[in-house]
Amino acid sequence: MRAYLDHAATSPMPREVREAYLDALGVVGNPASTHQHGQVASETLETARDQIAAALGCDRAETILTGGGTESINLAIKGMFWARQRAGSGPVVLVAAGEHHATFEAAQWLEATQGAHLVEVPIDNAGRIQPAALHAAIVATGAERIALVTLMWANNEVGTVQPVAELCTVAREFGIPVHVDAVAALGQERIDFAASGAAALSVSAHKIGGPVGIGALVLGRRTVADPLLHGGTQQRARSGSQDVAGAVAFAAALALVVEEDGTPRAECVARTRELRDRLIAGVRAIAPEAVLRGPERTPRLSGNAHFTFPGCQGDSLVFLLDAAGVSASVGSACQAGVHEISHVLLAMGVPEGDAAGALRFTLGPDSQAAEVDALLAALPAAISRARVAGLS
């Protein structure tokens, strides 16, 4: 059995989700149609939407189903920016350092083509956005010049969980809406949109064992976002026929990892955290010089363990572990195949030479102790061979 330690890239689809997905694929009819088949499809879709909304702490009217996390993030950032510009806001998009490429590249596109101005909020050496840092960035920029703030609920590389409610409170004091990327946090942290103070929030199904190609953007009732797509207005701010089967599978995946109120299932979190701590202890015993990046324990995602290995190239370690039957990653799967030093680690102040040795291990509810053992068995030889290869 291969060891799969890359759940942050995509998490395996459990049997229960596959079965729900397959059954829903048999539902005939477009949910926008008015005939009987369409109405059955619509009822199936809206039942799933209600379940997704309940897990996210919002209501169905705020829940826009999308093609995944990247679309949700783009719709939020671009759509909110355009709407705010029409309402007379300034051109600045305030982005926390260390954000996902979907966020940065969306903001950079706005800067390059739409007259936006991108300003970064620094993170500390644990990857945390301090509320004082956000406050200082708003004051220095001028609140009247800022269209929106965008930040992560939890960092997808180093697993740092952010003080979202505090950060949203800071922005709200200045009347600035906040978009939160909760893709990495879903299933490991309680996502309560209503309590967070956010204006918009993005999630994706495949990070929790749902299918690729379905996600959601929660858009608060008072938040306006211009659409990216036109041609039907099937949903608020989004046109296009809706994916009934994807929505059903997304709801089924959520039901396995969170309670009805959105609280992560305690047994899943406890088991994942125990395996993660075992992995961290094992890596430190094998390579005492390896540095755990992000918070030592909390606030850290229960399934995340991110190390840098001095004298090693992260890509070499991934290759060598893969050859030994262990799947891990250097960071975001969106940059897979592209040799690039982690912008997250650099923003945390990690020297470039150290950041080159990054290796991320991420676990899920179905991870097994045998997979951690396989990693720990393969790691000494991988480190030894990677050091011979060096950083070139």
PDB file of all heavy atoms in Angstrom, residues 187-216:
ATOM      1  N   GLY A 187     -13.499  21.456   7.262  1.00  0.00           N
ATOM      2  CA  GLY A 187     -13.411  20.101   7.803  1.00  0.00           C
ATOM      3  C   GLY A 187     -12.489  19.963   8.994  1.00  0.00           C
ATOM      4  O   GLY A 187     -12.571  18.980   9.728  1.00  0.00           O
ATOM      5  N   GLN A 188     -11.597  20.964   9.189  1.00  0.00           N
ATOM      6  CA  GLN A 188     -10.669  20.909  10.315  1.00  0.00           C
ATOM      7  C   GLN A 188     -10.944  22.004  11.347  1.00  0.00           C
ATOM      8  O   GLN A 188     -10.557  21.878  12.509  1.00  0.00           O
ATOM      9  CB  GLN A 188      -9.231  21.018   9.817  1.00  0.00           C
ATOM     10  CG  GLN A 188      -8.826  19.861   8.898  1.00  0.00           C
ATOM     11  CD  GLN A 188      -7.365  19.920   8.518  1.00  0.00           C
ATOM     12  OE1 GLN A 188      -6.473  19.815   9.359  1.00  0.00           O
ATOM     13  NE2 GLN A 188      -7.092  20.084   7.229  1.00  0.00           N
ATOM     14  N   GLU A 189     -11.572  23.077  10.911  1.00  0.00           N
ATOM     15  CA  GLU A 189     -11.971  24.167  11.783  1.00  0.00           C
ATOM     16  C   GLU A 189     -13.463  24.411  11.608  1.00  0.00           C
ATOM     17  O   GLU A 189     -14.010  24.161  10.528  1.00  0.00           O
ATOM     18  CB  GLU A 189     -11.202  25.448  11.442  1.00  0.00           C
ATOM     19  CG  GLU A 189      -9.717  25.374  11.697  1.00  0.00           C
ATOM     20  CD  GLU A 189      -9.388  25.318  13.182  1.00  0.00           C
ATOM     21  OE1 GLU A 189      -9.965  26.121  13.955  1.00  0.00           O
ATOM     22  OE2 GLU A 189      -8.554  24.472  13.561  1.00  0.00           O
ATOM     23  N   ARG A 190     -14.118  24.918  12.648  1.00  0.00           N
ATOM     24  CA  ARG A 190     -15.520  25.265  12.488  1.00  0.00           C
ATOM     25  C   ARG A 190     -15.629  26.533  11.641  1.00  0.00           C
ATOM     26  O   ARG A 190     -15.070  27.567  11.990  1.00  0.00           O
ATOM     27  CB  ARG A 190     -16.203  25.494  13.837  1.00  0.00           C
ATOM     28  CG  ARG A 190     -17.697  25.756  13.660  1.00  0.00           C
ATOM     29  CD  ARG A 190     -18.422  26.010  14.946  1.00  0.00           C
ATOM     30  NE  ARG A 190     -19.847  26.178  14.682  1.00  0.00           N
ATOM     31  CZ  ARG A 190     -20.724  26.573  15.581  1.00  0.00           C
ATOM     32  NH1 ARG A 190     -20.346  26.843  16.826  1.00  0.00           N
ATOM     33  NH2 ARG A 190     -21.998  26.708  15.250  1.00  0.00           N
ATOM     34  N   ILE A 191     -16.337  26.426  10.538  1.00  0.00           N
ATOM     35  CA  ILE A 191     -16.542  27.566   9.647  1.00  0.00           C
ATOM     36  C   ILE A 191     -17.939  28.117   9.930  1.00  0.00           C
ATOM     37  O   ILE A 191     -18.942  27.527   9.518  1.00  0.00           O
ATOM     38  CB  ILE A 191     -16.417  27.160   8.166  1.00  0.00           C
ATOM     39  CG1 ILE A 191     -15.094  26.434   7.908  1.00  0.00           C
ATOM     40  CG2 ILE A 191     -16.564  28.370   7.268  1.00  0.00           C
ATOM     41  CD1 ILE A 191     -13.867  27.219   8.207  1.00  0.00           C
ATOM     42  N   ASP A 192     -18.007  29.206  10.644  1.00  0.00           N
ATOM     43  CA  ASP A 192     -19.285  29.845  10.962  1.00  0.00           C
ATOM     44  C   ASP A 192     -19.293  31.219  10.302  1.00  0.00           C
ATOM     45  O   ASP A 192     -18.781  32.190  10.849  1.00  0.00           O
ATOM     46  CB  ASP A 192     -19.462  29.958  12.482  1.00  0.00           C
ATOM     47  CG  ASP A 192     -20.858  30.422  12.871  1.00  0.00           C
ATOM     48  OD1 ASP A 192     -21.510  31.097  12.046  1.00  0.00           O
ATOM     49  OD2 ASP A 192     -21.292  30.124  13.996  1.00  0.00           O
ATOM     50  N   PHE A 193     -19.860  31.272   9.108  1.00  0.00           N
ATOM     51  CA  PHE A 193     -19.837  32.508   8.340  1.00  0.00           C
ATOM     52  C   PHE A 193     -20.517  33.650   9.092  1.00  0.00           C
ATOM     53  O   PHE A 193     -19.987  34.761   9.170  1.00  0.00           O
ATOM     54  CB  PHE A 193     -20.517  32.291   6.987  1.00  0.00           C
ATOM     55  CG  PHE A 193     -20.607  33.528   6.145  1.00  0.00           C
ATOM     56  CD1 PHE A 193     -19.487  34.026   5.507  1.00  0.00           C
ATOM     57  CD2 PHE A 193     -21.817  34.200   5.992  1.00  0.00           C
ATOM     58  CE1 PHE A 193     -19.561  35.178   4.727  1.00  0.00           C
ATOM     59  CE2 PHE A 193     -21.907  35.349   5.220  1.00  0.00           C
ATOM     60  CZ  PHE A 193     -20.769  35.836   4.583  1.00  0.00           C
ATOM     61  N   ALA A 194     -21.669  33.382   9.660  1.00  0.00           N
ATOM     62  CA  ALA A 194     -22.418  34.438  10.338  1.00  0.00           C
ATOM     63  C   ALA A 194     -21.630  35.026  11.498  1.00  0.00           C
ATOM     64  O   ALA A 194     -21.658  36.232  11.732  1.00  0.00           O
ATOM     65  CB  ALA A 194     -23.758  33.894  10.821  1.00  0.00           C
ATOM     66  N   ALA A 195     -20.919  34.177  12.233  1.00  0.00           N
ATOM     67  CA  ALA A 195     -20.168  34.649  13.401  1.00  0.00           C
ATOM     68  C   ALA A 195     -18.833  35.263  13.025  1.00  0.00           C
ATOM     69  O   ALA A 195     -18.252  36.009  13.824  1.00  0.00           O
ATOM     70  CB  ALA A 195     -19.944  33.492  14.374  1.00  0.00           C
ATOM     71  N   SER A 196     -18.329  34.965  11.828  1.00  0.00           N
ATOM     72  CA  SER A 196     -16.985  35.416  11.451  1.00  0.00           C
ATOM     73  C   SER A 196     -16.905  36.909  11.182  1.00  0.00           C
ATOM     74  O   SER A 196     -15.849  37.521  11.359  1.00  0.00           O
ATOM     75  CB  SER A 196     -16.507  34.662  10.207  1.00  0.00           C
ATOM     76  OG  SER A 196     -17.208  35.094   9.051  1.00  0.00           O
ATOM     77  N   GLY A 197     -17.988  37.489  10.708  1.00  0.00           N
ATOM     78  CA  GLY A 197     -17.953  38.890  10.313  1.00  0.00           C
ATOM     79  C   GLY A 197     -17.486  39.104   8.893  1.00  0.00           C
ATOM     80  O   GLY A 197     -17.354  40.250   8.449  1.00  0.00           O
ATOM     81  N   ALA A 198     -17.222  38.031   8.162  1.00  0.00           N
ATOM     82  CA  ALA A 198     -16.764  38.146   6.775  1.00  0.00           C
ATOM     83  C   ALA A 198     -17.919  38.567   5.871  1.00  0.00           C
ATOM     84  O   ALA A 198     -19.091  38.307   6.160  1.00  0.00           O
ATOM     85  CB  ALA A 198     -16.177  36.826   6.302  1.00  0.00           C
ATOM     86  N   ALA A 199     -17.564  39.182   4.751  1.00  0.00           N
ATOM     87  CA  ALA A 199     -18.560  39.549   3.745  1.00  0.00           C
ATOM     88  C   ALA A 199     -18.732  38.441   2.712  1.00  0.00           C
ATOM     89  O   ALA A 199     -19.789  38.311   2.091  1.00  0.00           O
ATOM     90  CB  ALA A 199     -18.143  40.837   3.043  1.00  0.00           C
ATOM     91  N   ALA A 200     -17.688  37.622   2.527  1.00  0.00           N
ATOM     92  CA  ALA A 200     -17.714  36.528   1.563  1.00  0.00           C
ATOM     93  C   ALA A 200     -16.723  35.463   2.015  1.00  0.00           C
ATOM     94  O   ALA A 200     -15.745  35.765   2.706  1.00  0.00           O
ATOM     95  CB  ALA A 200     -17.361  37.030   0.166  1.00  0.00           C
ATOM     96  N   LEU A 201     -16.983  34.218   1.592  1.00  0.00           N
ATOM     97  CA  LEU A 201     -16.146  33.102   2.043  1.00  0.00           C
ATOM     98  C   LEU A 201     -16.137  32.020   0.972  1.00  0.00           C
ATOM     99  O   LEU A 201     -17.191  31.669   0.421  1.00  0.00           O
ATOM    100  CB  LEU A 201     -16.680  32.562   3.369  1.00  0.00           C
ATOM    101  CG  LEU A 201     -15.946  31.400   4.021  1.00  0.00           C
ATOM    102  CD1 LEU A 201     -15.895  31.599   5.547  1.00  0.00           C
ATOM    103  CD2 LEU A 201     -16.638  30.068   3.715  1.00  0.00           C
ATOM    104  N   SER A 202     -14.954  31.466   0.691  1.00  0.00           N
ATOM    105  CA  SER A 202     -14.791  30.469  -0.366  1.00  0.00           C
ATOM    106  C   SER A 202     -14.402  29.105   0.196  1.00  0.00           C
ATOM    107  O   SER A 202     -13.574  29.019   1.107  1.00  0.00           O
ATOM    108  CB  SER A 202     -13.695  30.917  -1.353  1.00  0.00           C
ATOM    109  OG  SER A 202     -14.025  32.154  -1.944  1.00  0.00           O
ATOM    110  N   VAL A 203     -14.990  28.044  -0.366  1.00  0.00           N
ATOM    111  CA  VAL A 203     -14.653  26.668   0.026  1.00  0.00           C
ATOM    112  C   VAL A 203     -14.655  25.771  -1.204  1.00  0.00           C
ATOM    113  O   VAL A 203     -15.172  26.139  -2.255  1.00  0.00           O
ATOM    114  CB  VAL A 203     -15.642  26.102   1.075  1.00  0.00           C
ATOM    115  CG1 VAL A 203     -15.499  26.805   2.414  1.00  0.00           C
ATOM    116  CG2 VAL A 203     -17.081  26.185   0.579  1.00  0.00           C
ATOM    117  N   SER A 204     -14.087  24.571  -1.044  1.00  0.00           N
ATOM    118  CA  SER A 204     -14.007  23.606  -2.139  1.00  0.00           C
ATOM    119  C   SER A 204     -14.247  22.205  -1.605  1.00  0.00           C
ATOM    120  O   SER A 204     -13.785  21.864  -0.509  1.00  0.00           O
ATOM    121  CB  SER A 204     -12.634  23.689  -2.804  1.00  0.00           C
ATOM    122  OG  SER A 204     -12.556  22.811  -3.906  1.00  0.00           O
ATOM    123  N   ALA A 205     -14.951  21.376  -2.391  1.00  0.00           N
ATOM    124  CA  ALA A 205     -15.347  20.049  -1.919  1.00  0.00           C
ATOM    125  C   ALA A 205     -14.203  19.038  -1.886  1.00  0.00           C
ATOM    126  O   ALA A 205     -14.148  18.181  -1.002  1.00  0.00           O
ATOM    127  CB  ALA A 205     -16.476  19.506  -2.794  1.00  0.00           C
ATOM    128  N   HIS A 206     -13.282  19.107  -2.853  1.00  0.00           N
ATOM    129  CA  HIS A 206     -12.320  18.010  -2.981  1.00  0.00           C
ATOM    130  C   HIS A 206     -11.261  18.005  -1.876  1.00  0.00           C
ATOM    131  O   HIS A 206     -10.515  17.034  -1.742  1.00  0.00           O
ATOM    132  CB  HIS A 206     -11.672  18.008  -4.371  1.00  0.00           C
ATOM    133  CG  HIS A 206     -10.637  19.040  -4.600  1.00  0.00           C
ATOM    134  ND1 HIS A 206      -9.289  18.764  -4.576  1.00  0.00           N
ATOM    135  CD2 HIS A 206     -10.737  20.356  -4.880  1.00  0.00           C
ATOM    136  CE1 HIS A 206      -8.607  19.866  -4.837  1.00  0.00           C
ATOM    137  NE2 HIS A 206      -9.462  20.850  -5.018  1.00  0.00           N
ATOM    138  N   LYS A 207     -11.202  19.056  -1.066  1.00  0.00           N
ATOM    139  CA  LYS A 207     -10.267  19.056   0.055  1.00  0.00           C
ATOM    140  C   LYS A 207     -10.781  18.210   1.226  1.00  0.00           C
ATOM    141  O   LYS A 207     -10.028  17.914   2.161  1.00  0.00           O
ATOM    142  CB  LYS A 207     -10.033  20.484   0.550  1.00  0.00           C
ATOM    143  CG  LYS A 207      -9.553  21.452  -0.527  1.00  0.00           C
ATOM    144  CD  LYS A 207      -8.200  21.071  -1.107  1.00  0.00           C
ATOM    145  CE  LYS A 207      -7.704  22.164  -2.042  1.00  0.00           C
ATOM    146  NZ  LYS A 207      -6.368  21.902  -2.592  1.00  0.00           N
ATOM    147  N   ILE A 208     -12.069  17.838   1.180  1.00  0.00           N
ATOM    148  CA  ILE A 208     -12.653  17.039   2.275  1.00  0.00           C
ATOM    149  C   ILE A 208     -13.226  15.716   1.767  1.00  0.00           C
ATOM    150  O   ILE A 208     -14.056  15.095   2.427  1.00  0.00           O
ATOM    151  CB  ILE A 208     -13.744  17.824   3.026  1.00  0.00           C
ATOM    152  CG1 ILE A 208     -14.857  18.260   2.067  1.00  0.00           C
ATOM    153  CG2 ILE A 208     -13.147  19.022   3.754  1.00  0.00           C
ATOM    154  CD1 ILE A 208     -16.125  18.709   2.773  1.00  0.00           C
ATOM    155  N   GLY A 209     -12.800  15.278   0.579  1.00  0.00           N
ATOM    156  CA  GLY A 209     -13.278  14.004   0.064  1.00  0.00           C
ATOM    157  C   GLY A 209     -14.457  14.111  -0.861  1.00  0.00           C
ATOM    158  O   GLY A 209     -15.071  13.098  -1.217  1.00  0.00           O
ATOM    159  N   GLY A 210     -14.818  15.322  -1.286  1.00  0.00           N
ATOM    160  CA  GLY A 210     -15.830  15.496  -2.311  1.00  0.00           C
ATOM    161  C   GLY A 210     -15.189  15.453  -3.681  1.00  0.00           C
ATOM    162  O   GLY A 210     -13.972  15.300  -3.811  1.00  0.00           O
ATOM    163  N   PRO A 211     -15.993  15.606  -4.735  1.00  0.00           N
ATOM    164  CA  PRO A 211     -15.420  15.574  -6.088  1.00  0.00           C
ATOM    165  C   PRO A 211     -14.732  16.878  -6.466  1.00  0.00           C
ATOM    166  O   PRO A 211     -15.070  17.946  -5.951  1.00  0.00           O
ATOM    167  CB  PRO A 211     -16.656  15.336  -6.978  1.00  0.00           C
ATOM    168  CG  PRO A 211     -17.799  15.875  -6.191  1.00  0.00           C
ATOM    169  CD  PRO A 211     -17.460  15.667  -4.737  1.00  0.00           C
ATOM    170  N   VAL A 212     -13.767  16.784  -7.373  1.00  0.00           N
ATOM    171  CA  VAL A 212     -13.191  17.969  -7.980  1.00  0.00           C
ATOM    172  C   VAL A 212     -14.253  18.596  -8.879  1.00  0.00           C
ATOM    173  O   VAL A 212     -14.999  17.894  -9.559  1.00  0.00           O
ATOM    174  CB  VAL A 212     -11.941  17.598  -8.805  1.00  0.00           C
ATOM    175  CG1 VAL A 212     -11.442  18.794  -9.594  1.00  0.00           C
ATOM    176  CG2 VAL A 212     -10.851  17.059  -7.897  1.00  0.00           C
ATOM    177  N   GLY A 213     -14.329  19.936  -8.872  1.00  0.00           N
ATOM    178  CA  GLY A 213     -15.258  20.606  -9.771  1.00  0.00           C
ATOM    179  C   GLY A 213     -16.496  21.168  -9.106  1.00  0.00           C
ATOM    180  O   GLY A 213     -17.392  21.654  -9.784  1.00  0.00           O
ATOM    181  N   ILE A 214     -16.546  21.129  -7.774  1.00  0.00           N
ATOM    182  CA  ILE A 214     -17.668  21.727  -7.054  1.00  0.00           C
ATOM    183  C   ILE A 214     -17.120  22.456  -5.824  1.00  0.00           C
ATOM    184  O   ILE A 214     -16.251  21.939  -5.116  1.00  0.00           O
ATOM    185  CB  ILE A 214     -18.740  20.675  -6.652  1.00  0.00           C
ATOM    186  CG1 ILE A 214     -19.945  21.327  -5.970  1.00  0.00           C
ATOM    187  CG2 ILE A 214     -18.137  19.598  -5.768  1.00  0.00           C
ATOM    188  CD1 ILE A 214     -20.863  22.052  -6.897  1.00  0.00           C
ATOM    189  N   GLY A 215     -17.591  23.655  -5.633  1.00  0.00           N
ATOM    190  CA  GLY A 215     -17.207  24.451  -4.472  1.00  0.00           C
ATOM    191  C   GLY A 215     -18.342  25.395  -4.150  1.00  0.00           C
ATOM    192  O   GLY A 215     -19.450  25.262  -4.687  1.00  0.00           O
ATOM    193  N   ALA A 216     -18.080  26.347  -3.290  1.00  0.00           N
ATOM    194  CA  ALA A 216     -19.121  27.319  -2.947  1.00  0.00           C
ATOM    195  C   ALA A 216     -18.489  28.651  -2.584  1.00  0.00           C
ATOM    196  O   ALA A 216     -17.395  28.704  -2.026  1.00  0.00           O
ATOM    197  CB  ALA A 216     -19.981  26.810  -1.796  1.00  0.00           C
TER     198      ALA A 216
END
